[in-house]
Amino acid sequence: MKTIFYSLLMLIVLTSSGWSVKHGKPDKRAKVIFDSDMGPDFDDVGAITVLHALAAKGECEILATVSSDSHPSVAPTIEVFNQYFRKPNIPIGIASVKAPGFISPNNWNDSLVTHFLKNKQIANYPSALEVYRKVLAKQDDNSVTIVTVGFLSNIMDLLNSKPDKFSSLSGMDLVKKKVKNWVAMAGMIPNGVEFNVNEHKEAAYEAFSRWPKPLLLSGFEIGDKIHTGSKLAKRNINKNPAAWAYQYNLATYDKNKPANRPSWDQTAVLCAIRKPEKYFYVNGPGKFIVNKDGSNLWDADVNAGHYFLTHKYPYEKISTIIEDLMLYEPGN
């Protein structure tokens, strides 16, 4: 009897709690808006490659790819990858001038765009806010997963937006109606100061304090231990822009010239599309708090529908899974 009771109890627990069970069927193809500051670092390259790899496997639909960095080189960088992965019609948007606007001192964005952008005439991209509102308005209710791997500039703008030609709803109401969940590479758990949050403090404070739907966090401490890139960097850099970006940056981004780079952003994409419990422990619910000075902390005593990842397997196991996805090339 004890064995039967314990089995029933575990069944109840497993079917009534947890991020994946509550916030989306893992076997249902995710509809994703990818929001990236693809410039200050280059793990975003790995993240957009993982995104396209999973889309090619039929595991997600990429609705839009927007920049949270207002530097003019970032949106064309995103376009390079959408073109290479044979999805040139995915909408691209650029952040407002209020967002941080810079790239790495080694100028890898400009070099990559020069090498790979098929249309050498830089497009006049719409605002990320316009893309968000236009795309969300067309989707089924409670269907969209937003993945942010950069500044929270666009999320703040979306929440603050007014009704427009795309929707009669405010930004807050549009999110409540159309968004299923948000997965963010952000913060340090249980407390600390992290780049994506701290670089645009005002946006992070507003975005996380006002967000009305479920939130899953892949903190700095997750991707920092998962190193990838060395295998990708050995691929054909004349053909593959992801291989080019990793080879160039591993040699020039850091004076120490490491063999790999932490995989902060890739973890968020992986866990937005696949069941995160396959790779990490999912903790929560609780509340992710951003202070006005850009620091953050986790409050385990308040249920705000927020969750966070902790490590479950040896780092090398997850590194191998992520790098295998990063090796995807169109046609493979």
Side-chain angles (χ1 to χ4, degrees):
M1 286 297 293
K2 287 183 179 180
T3 302
I4 295 172
F5 176 77
Y6 179 77
S7 298
L8 289 171
L9 178 63
M10 287 304 296
L11 181 62
I12 292 169
V13 169
L14 289 171
T15 55
S16 64
S17 64
W19 167 265
S20 292
V21 173
K22 279 187 172 182
H23 307 305
K25 296 178 181 179
D27 59 343
K28 188 173 182 179
R29 186 171 69 157
K31 292 187 172 185
V32 176
I33 297 177
F34 177 70
D35 190 325
S36 167
D37 64 338
M38 193 174 296
D41 208 331
F42 61 98
D43 55 319
D44 306 69
V45 172
I48 199 170
T49 303
V50 169
L51 178 69
H52 278 282
L54 294 173
K57 290 175 178 288
E59 297 183 39
C60 69
E61 178 185 354
I62 307 171
L63 300 176
T65 49
V66 299
S67 170
S68 60
D69 185 319
S70 61
H71 191 282
S73 293
V74 178
T77 301
I78 293 172
E79 185 175 358
V80 165
F81 293 103
N82 289 350
Q83 285 187 1
Y84 177 69
F85 292 116
R86 300 178 183 174
K87 296 289 182 66
N89 296 321
I90 294 174
I92 297 171
I94 191 166
S96 74
V97 294
K98 295 181 294 183
F102 63 95
I103 55 176
S104 169
N106 71 351
N107 292 311
W108 70 267
N109 295 72
D110 292 328
S111 298
L112 181 135
V113 169
T114 299
H115 276 81
F116 290 101
L117 193 62
K118 291 180 181 178
N119 179 9
K120 299 299 182 183
Q121 193 170 17
I122 301 299
N124 184 20
Y125 302 99
S127 72
L129 176 59
E130 178 179 326
V131 171
Y132 262 110
R133 290 190 59 88
K134 184 176 182 179
V135 169
L136 286 175
K138 294 178 180 178
Q139 304 309 311
D140 294 337
D141 292 354
N142 199 44
S143 67
V144 178
T145 294
I146 295 174
V147 185
T148 63
V149 294
F151 314 130
L152 290 311
S153 315
N154 297 326
I155 302 299
M156 177 183 70
D157 288 346
L158 175 60
L159 292 176
N160 289 336
S161 64
K162 307 294 185 184
D164 59 9
K165 62 182 179 181
F166 303 117
S167 174
S168 61
L169 298 175
S170 69
M172 178 65 77
D173 288 338
L174 190 60
V175 167
K176 288 179 180 178
K177 185 175 178 66
K178 300 295 185 178
V179 175
K180 180 175 70 174
N181 53 38
W182 172 20
V183 180
M185 190 278 117
M188 297 181 74
I189 309 296
N191 61 284
V193 178
E194 186 271 322
F195 180 79
N196 288 347
V197 171
N198 187 58
E199 196 63 31
H200 195 178
K201 301 176 181 67
E202 176 192 0
Y205 176 80
E206 283 207 39
F208 287 113
S209 63
R210 300 181 59 213
W211 184 254
K213 302 301 286 281
L215 166 68
L216 176 64
L217 294 152
S218 180
F220 176 90
E221 66 282 354
I222 298 300
D224 192 51
K225 301 294 186 181
I226 302 169
H227 295 168
T228 57
S230 60
K231 293 179 183 177
L232 177 59
K234 294 173 183 175
R235 290 295 179 94
N236 185 350
I237 63 171
N238 294 316
K239 175 187 174 185
N240 185 333
W244 183 97
Y246 267 83
Q247 185 179 113
Y248 181 83
N249 279 303
L250 287 172
T252 64
Y253 187 87
D254 185 332
K255 65 180 180 180
N256 295 320
K257 298 184 179 181
N260 289 285
R261 185 71 178 161
S263 304
W264 295 292
D265 295 350
Q266 295 95 316
T267 58
V269 172
L270 181 68
C271 291
I273 296 167
R274 290 182 173 174
K275 188 176 180 180
E277 291 91 342
K278 288 178 63 177
Y279 308 104
F280 303 97
Y281 293 115
V282 178
N283 306 274
K287 184 175 183 179
F288 181 67
I289 298 173
V290 174
N291 300 310
K292 290 188 175 181
D293 65 0
S295 63
N296 75 262
L297 58 90
W298 179 260
D299 187 343
D301 297 324
V302 176
N303 181 357
H306 299 174
Y307 297 78
F308 70 94
L309 303 175
T310 51
H311 283 288
K312 181 177 187 177
Y313 293 109
Y315 309 135
E316 294 77 12
K317 177 182 174 74
I318 308 302
S319 296
T320 298
I321 292 167
I322 288 175
E323 184 124 37
D324 283 348
L325 290 167
M326 287 167 58
L327 295 176
Y328 164 71
E329 294 183 15
N332 288 359

